Amino acid sequence: MADVLFWSDLRQRLDGVLVEQQTMSISDYVQISTVVNTYLKAAEVETAVEEVRQWVTAYVNRQLAVIARRLQKLERGPSLIDAYVAQWQYFAQASQALSGSLGQAVGFGMREAMAQAWYTTVFRRVAADMAAAMVALVDDARKDGGVDDPQLLSKLSYVLAELRPAYAPELPGGEPLGAYFVWYLEPYVWAAVRHVESRTGHLRTPGSTREYIRLVTRLIDDEERRAEAYLRPESVESLRCVLAQRFVAGSLAAIHAEAALMLAADSEDLRSAFCLLRRVPADRKAMQPLRDAFRAHVAQHTLAAMPSLAELNPNEASVSSLAFARNAVDWLIKELNRLRAMTARCFDDDRGFNQSLVAGLREALNSKEFLSKDHPQLKAPRLLAGYFGLLLQTDSALALELAAAHPTGFENAVESRARDALQLCELVDSKDKLMYHYRSLLARRLVTDSSSNVDLERTVVAMLTPLTGIDNTNRINDMLTDMNVSHTLFADYRPSMSSGSLNVSVKVLKQILWCGNLSSELSRALILPRQVSAACDEFVGVYNSRYSSASRNGRKLQWLWAYSKATIQLYFPHSVGRVAQTGYTLVVNAYQLAILALFTDSSCLGSAAQQLTPTEISLHIKLRLDAVKSELAVLARAGILVSNKSNDAVMMNSSFNSRRLRIDISGIKRMRQETEDETKKIDSYVDSERYLQIQSAVMKEMKRCLSIHHTRLLNLVTTRYESKFLVERPVFKRVIGVLLDDKYIRQKEGDFNIYEYIA
C-alpha cells in the first residue's frame, strides 16, 4: 500500500512540473527530494534506486512523446519554431531542477539522461521540419528584406546549441555547437549558397566577370549582414568560408585578370574585386597575383605617363635646366600621393599593396627607361639632387615662389617640400650617386653665394642622413663648416688689406673637401687687370704672413677663376642720356674681365687695343683658345663686343645701348648646374668607387669566412651596401674574376661555386 501511495504521490508532483508546467518553488523541489529519500530508506532494497531511476526515465519519455506529437501537428513555419523553443526552454529548466532534487537520491546524471531523452523523443521527430521552416523563413527574408520576428531564429539557434554531443552521441563529436551545427547552420549555409548561385550562375562566362564581381560582392555582403542576425556569432565565419570557397576561390583566374584591367581605371569595381579576394584564406595566397599586377601597373604607368621634357618645360630648351627637375619631381610626388590615395581607397591601405606600390615606383625610378626619351644622362639621382638644389638656391623660381607664399614660414615650407622629395629618395637605389650630385650642386651654391642659408642647408642634410648614411653626409657637413671658417678667416684679414677702390671678397677652401665637386680650371695663370692682380697678390701676402711656412703645413693657394666674378662700371663713347655719366654696371666672370681689360685698360697692353683676334687674346691673358671663343660669343650676344668679319677680330661696340643699367653676363648662374660632361664624369667616378668598395667587401668576407659559396658572398656584399647602392651582378662577377686572376682567392676543386681565401 505504501508503494502505491509513493508512486501516486511522485506522479502527481512530476505532473505538476512536466505536464501542467506549473511554476514550482524551491520548497516544492525539496519536497520531491524528501519523498524519494524517505521511500528509499524505508525500502532498504538495493534495487530501489534503479527502480526509481527507470520509473522517472519512463515517465519523462511518455511526457516527451506527448510534446512531440503536439509539435508534429503544427505546420512548418514560425508557429512550430516558437512552440519548440518554448517547450525546450521550460523542459531545460525543469530537468535542471529535477536533476538537483533527485540527483542525490538516485545518483547524478539525471540532467544528461533527460536531455538525451528530449533529443531522441522530441527533437529527432521535428528537426527536419524545423530546419525546413528556418530555411523558408530565411528565403522569405531574402525576398522581403526580413522576417516578422527577427529574434525567433536567433532563439532557435541558441536552444539548438544547448543539445551537445554528450547528450546526443550521434552528433559530431568535435562540434561544440551540437545540434545547431547539423540542423541549423548547415541548412542555412547551403540555402545561402543556393541563393547566390541562382543569382550569379549566368554570369560565369567570358566578358561577364566585372558584373559577376559586382553582384557576388553585393550578395555576399548581404548574406553576412543577415547572418549576424540569424546565426550564432562564432559560426558566421563558417558561412564566410563556404561562400568564399564556392564563389571566389573557384573563379580566381577570371577575377585576377579582370582586376588587372581595372587598375588603370581606378574604379569602385577594383575595391569590390579586392574585397572578394580578401575573403579567400591567406594560405591560398589569392591576393598575391593582384599585388604583382599592381606593382607592374605602377612601374609601367609611371614610365609611360611621365611627361616629357617639352611637356614639363615648354620654355626651356636645355635638358640641364633645373626647372625641369622641379617640374618632374613635383609630378612624381603628385603621382605618389595619387597612388597612395588609391591604395587607401581601393585596398584599405593593405600592407602588401603598399609594398607593391613602393616596389613599382622603385622599379620605375631605377629603370634604364626612366626619361630615356629626353636624355639618357638625366636619371633619378641627378633629378632629385637638382630639386634639392632649387629648394636651397636663393634666386630659383621655386624658392622665390615659396618665399612669396610663406613670407614668415619659408624654412618650414622648404622642409615640407624636402620631406616630400625624401619619399622619392628612399626609392632610389643609387643613393651614392644622389649624394655625389647633391655635393656637386651644394659646392656650386656655396661658392657662387646662391645658398639660402647655411642653417637650412644643415637641416636638409640632417634629413638625408638616416636615408643615405652618415658617411655620405659627413663630407657635406665638413664643406659647410669650411665655408663658415672661410667667412671668419676673410673677416679677420680684411682690416689688414688695402685694396684701394676695389671691394674684394675672397673664399679660402680646403682642396681635400672641394676637389671633384667643382669643375676643372681652364687656366690657373690667367692674366687679370693690374689693379685686380695687385689685390689678389696682396691677399696672398696677408695670408702667407699670417701662416708662416712652418705653420702652414704645406698650404698652397690656388685661384679658382671659373667661379670668380667682378662687378665693373663700363662707359661707351656714344652713350647718351644718363648712362653717358653713370655708364653700365656689368657683372662679368674673371675670364670676361681679362678680355674686356684688353680693350679698356691701357695698362694691359701699353694702350687700349682697338681690335684683337681670339688667338691674340688667348696669348695675352693665358687662356685656352676654346674658352676665349666661348666667352667672346657671350660678349657678342650681349652686344658689348662686335666682330670684324674680314679678319675674325673683335672690338668694343662703341654704339652699345641697353634699357638695363645692370647686366649680368658672368654665366655664374650656369655654374650652379652640372654640364652633361660633368654628369658623365660623376657617374664614371661613382662607378669606379663602387668597384673598389665591392672589392674591399669581398676581401673582408673572404678573410672572415675563409671559404664561402658564391651566392652567399653576393648576398653578404649586397646587404653591406644596400643603403648606398645596388650591387650589380656583372660588376660583382668582374671583381671576382680580377681577384681570381691576381691569386687572392681560388675556386674549390670539385665545386667552382665555392671560393677559398689564399693567405
Side-chain angles (χ1 to χ4, degrees), residues 287-339:
M287 202 69 73
Q288 194 56 43
L290 182 56
R291 289 176 180 146
D292 294 340
F294 182 57
R295 178 192 55 75
H297 165 75
V298 170
Q300 295 169 5
H301 172 76
T302 302
L303 292 174
M306 178 78 181
S308 65
L309 174 64
E311 293 171 328
L312 285 177
N313 236 30
N315 299 323
E316 297 286 347
S318 173
V319 75
S320 63
S321 172
L322 289 181
F324 176 68
R326 178 238 176 123
N327 294 330
V329 173
D330 281 344
W331 184 89
L332 287 170
I333 292 172
K334 186 181 297 184
E335 183 68 9
L336 174 60
N337 293 332
R338 183 190 71 82
L339 291 170

Side-chain angles (χ1 to χ4, degrees), residues 409-423:
F410 171 71
E411 292 187 359
N412 292 334
V414 170
E415 291 178 23
S416 176
R417 288 294 190 95
R419 279 192 293 271
D420 291 339
L422 279 175
Q423 300 178 65

Side-chain angles (χ1 to χ4, degrees), residues 271 338-350 354:
R271 174 172 174 76
R338 183 190 71 82
L339 291 170
R340 282 182 172 167
M342 173 184 174
T343 304
R345 181 177 62 259
C346 297
F347 305 127
D348 287 348
D349 219 8
D350 178 78
N354 278 319

Side-chain angles (χ1 to χ4, degrees), residues 502-515:
L502 294 183
N503 183 12
V504 180
S505 176
V506 180
K507 297 181 179 67
V508 181
L509 306 175
K510 294 180 181 179
Q511 185 178 12
I512 192 173
L513 293 177
W514 298 80
C515 65

Side-chain angles (χ1 to χ4, degrees), residues 705-740:
C705 300
L706 299 181
S707 178
I708 190 172
H709 193 276
H710 174 90
T711 303
R712 175 166 171 74
L713 181 60
L714 174 61
N715 292 337
L716 289 173
V717 175
T718 301
T719 303
R720 179 186 289 267
Y721 293 114
E722 64 183 354
S723 64
K724 295 182 179 180
F725 58 88
L726 181 65
V727 177
E728 298 178 350
R729 290 178 180 271
V731 178
F732 180 80
K733 289 182 178 179
R734 184 154 54 92
V735 169
I736 294 295
V738 171
L739 293 177
L740 288 171

Side-chain angles (χ1 to χ4, degrees), residues 386-441:
Y387 187 80
F388 283 111
L390 287 174
L391 282 175
L392 299 168
Q393 184 175 305
T394 184
D395 57 350
S396 70
L398 177 57
L400 293 175
E401 287 179 16
L402 292 178
H406 309 277
T408 60
F410 171 71
E411 292 187 359
N412 292 334
V414 170
E415 291 178 23
S416 176
R417 288 294 190 95
R419 279 192 293 271
D420 291 339
L422 279 175
Q423 300 178 65
L424 298 177
C425 292
E426 292 178 4
L427 307 177
V428 175
D429 290 337
S430 301
K431 293 183 177 63
D432 53 346
K433 284 188 179 180
L434 166 65
M435 293 309 297
Y436 205 98
H437 286 294
Y438 185 94
R439 286 202 307 268
S440 176
L441 294 175

